[in-house]
Amino acid sequence: MADVITYREAVAEGIAREMRRDAAVVCLGEDIGEAGGVFKTTAGLFKEFGPERVWDTPISEQAIVGAAMGAAMTGMRPVAEIMFSDFLACCWDYLANEIPKVRYMTGGQVTVPLVVRTANGGGLGFGAQHSQATENWALTVPGLQIAAPATPADVIGMMAAAIRSDDPVVFFEHKGLLASKGSPPPPDHVVELGRAAVVREGADVTLVALAAMVPVALRAAARLAEEGIAAEVVDLRCLVPLDMSTVLASLARTSRLVTVEENPYQGGWGATVVSVVADEGFGLLDAPVRRVAGECVPLPFADALEERVIPTVDKVVATVRDLTAY
Amino acid sequence: MDSAELLALYEQMVLIRRTEKAAHDLFLQGLVKGTTHLAAGHEAIAVGASAALRADDYVFATYRGHHHALARGATPEECLAELMSRATGLCGAKGGSMHLTKAATGMLGSYAIVGAHLPMAAGAAWSARLRGTDQVAVAFFGDGATNIGAFHEALNLAAVWKLPVLFVCENNLYMEYTPIASVTAVARPAADRAPAYGIPGETVDGNDVVAVRDAVAALAGRARAGDGPALLEAATYRHFGHSRSDPATYRPAEEVERWLKHDPLDIARGRLTELGVSEETLTAADERALDVVRRAVEAAKSAPAPDPEQALTDVWADGSAAWRT
Ligand SMILES: Cc1ncc(C[n+]2csc(CCOP(=O)(O)OP(=O)(O)O)c2C)c(N)n1
């Protein structure tokens, strides 16, 4: 393996590793075969595994996810691609009503071990119907695990855990991170779902971020360090299971909390994080909590407008500065 | 069709082709951000259909909708300004290439979720019925859209409610990179499905503006008279790849060559020549279109960027984006 791997390559590599070790893993989605996916996140899979394991589908999101569900109920481990996360809405019945409820409704008789992968998030000027960060949609549904890795190594490790999981996983790949690079992890690298990572240590404030907001939080932390503010950055990695013990442990060290999320403030995952902190960790706080989140608008097209809507390093720095002065 | 009418349609097609070319060039210069889905090659469908429709009819399009916006009254300047993220853009730079909309002229939008607008077109037609007008609604969509649930639901609803709506499929043989035939159960992805809903399903040479005009006129006339919806499958080809990042290497060279020879502009030109229109007249039409687009590019280039605060307008009817009191 090369010494560096892109996030985009890590997606294909992560799937390939699981397809090699388990014949039950099959892929389906639009343009994922010979074309290698519109984001090239399935490049090479068709060549290695052939058309019996990598299936091109029509533009039929309900059929893709519904069929993946049926296959998962009967012994396969399908990995379904929904090209852009905005399109999850086209198959929402399966994600909100069918997949997460079957094990429960059947008293545990039927399991649905599948992964729905999707390209999430903005920053690329794709306009309102191809740019949303939608991980918070899935967060409202009990029964779905939610993974959103920020680095190539995590993509591979979390893909392994997601595919091996006996529960359904919605796997958000951030479009803004696809070209980012990192070291490839060793063979059989598995990152257990629901384990957050402290990716920078600091004693003054905890920044909790996810996916493309992790590098934003890290850049903000580097800027704050120049001002003498030591920010600890927690990469949440998953929304379900939600690793609150890592967040609370960090808070015990720093006593201040800022969440950095791309999805809109209205209904965003940061609200869940801070509500748990208010509920279970109020005594750890020396200051109010703050959420830096997307504005509550659909994502506009123009760069200047998009930047006004998605959290930036400047916004995070300003928020942390205010909070540490509290 | 007389030569004056055809000449006007030809000039409109040239205008669209030139605008698309400008969009492509501006993209290469880094002045158009995000993505574009050019409709070069599809001009005859937009222009022919528009010629058969009334000014108060409704049109719904996909992300590949520059041609429909232009055919339904948006100016090259407004469109290019939108693509270039200018405040003067058709949607104030909030929409972008995939969402060109000009409601005032009945162009009710371009939708980037495949198939989403087919039920909307049915709804617009239903509304025309409820309001007692004889307007018609048209949904333009690609062959790939015929495999999504919304296509089938819209056709069925339109059929059972006998709505004045026309479904026009622009069959360019490909979804993004996948040949439509490899993922579709029937040979003609749109027309072959119409019988299942008990509505007419016709095919037409989508590169022949006269044939498109006539076919749409007949089906829209029928719908306007209360005889219900219809489906038209127009055969065409996109000259560029699916979107800006796609060089379209998956298409056989021989196929590309054959279709490029079947260019809608050439076909219209041939017909005009047969009707006795001189070369000078045709060249003058080309020049006029080129000039309009050249000026549109300059105007769009010198237009101001949007105020970032505009990002926080237009969510609600009061113009704001506030979600709490
Ligand atoms: C619901 C949904 N699924 C997938 C996509 C991604 N996508 C955009 S265009 C496209 C191909 C559409 O092909 P077709 O309908 O034939 O239209 P054309 O691009 O040829 O005009 C796909 C799969 C989307 N925009 N919406």
Side-chain angles (χ1 to χ4, degrees), chain A residues 28 61-80 91 93-103 105-106 110-116 168:
Chain A
L28 71 169
E61 279 76 11
Q62 297 198 63
I64 294 168
V65 179
M69 179 179 175
M73 292 162 76
T74 52
M76 303 304 290
R77 288 194 177 260
V79 178
C91 45
D93 178 48
Y94 293 93
L95 286 158
N97 285 321
E98 317 296 341
I99 289 167
K101 294 179 179 171
V102 159
R103 176 195 282 269
M105 291 193 302
T106 63
V110 181
T111 62
V112 190
L114 59 73
V115 178
V116 175

Side-chain angles (χ1 to χ4, degrees), chain A residues 226-252:
Chain A
E226 292 164 16
E227 303 175 15
I229 300 171
E232 179 148 305
V233 179
V234 175
D235 174 356
L236 219 41
R237 300 205 281 202
C238 280
L239 294 181
V240 178
L242 182 64
D243 180 1
M244 284 306 295
S245 55
T246 295
V247 175
L248 291 166
S250 174
L251 212 48

Side-chain angles (χ1 to χ4, degrees), chain A residues 135 139 144-150 154 157-159 161-162 169-172 191-197 208-211 214 234-244 247 269 273:
Chain A
E135 65 276 358
L139 187 58
L144 295 178
Q145 298 199 334
I146 305 172
D154 276 0
M158 288 163 70
M159 187 69 78
V169 181
V170 188
F171 198 94
F172 289 94
V191 175
E192 191 187 338
L193 300 181
R195 288 266 183 271
V208 177
L210 187 77
V214 173
V234 175
D235 174 356
L236 219 41
R237 300 205 281 202
C238 280
L239 294 181
V240 178
L242 182 64
D243 180 1
M244 284 306 295
V247 175
W269 58 256
V273 170

Side-chain angles (χ1 to χ4, degrees), chain A residues 31 35 38 57-61 83 87 90 124-126 128-130 265-266 295-297 300-303 305 308-309, chain B residues 33-34 82 85 93-96 98-99 111-113 147-148 175-178 183 307-309 311-312 315 321 323:
Chain A
D31 291 312
V38 287
T57 64
I59 307 175
S60 304
E61 279 76 11
M83 197 183 285
F87 314 161
C90 296
L124 301 180
F126 281 156
Q129 296 186 324
H130 281 67
Y265 187 99
Q266 176 190 344
E295 298 290 348
C296 300
V297 300
F301 161 67
D303 287 359
L305 303 179
R308 176 68 186 80
V309 173
Chain B
K33 292 285 169 50
E82 181 70 21
S85 303
K94 280 189 168 116
M98 292 203 278
H99 304 289
Y111 297 87
I113 305 296
N147 291 317
I148 202 164
M175 293 160 35
E176 291 190 341
Y177 316 135
T178 303
V183 291
D307 175 351
E309 291 310 307
L312 308 186
V315 172
W323 65 282

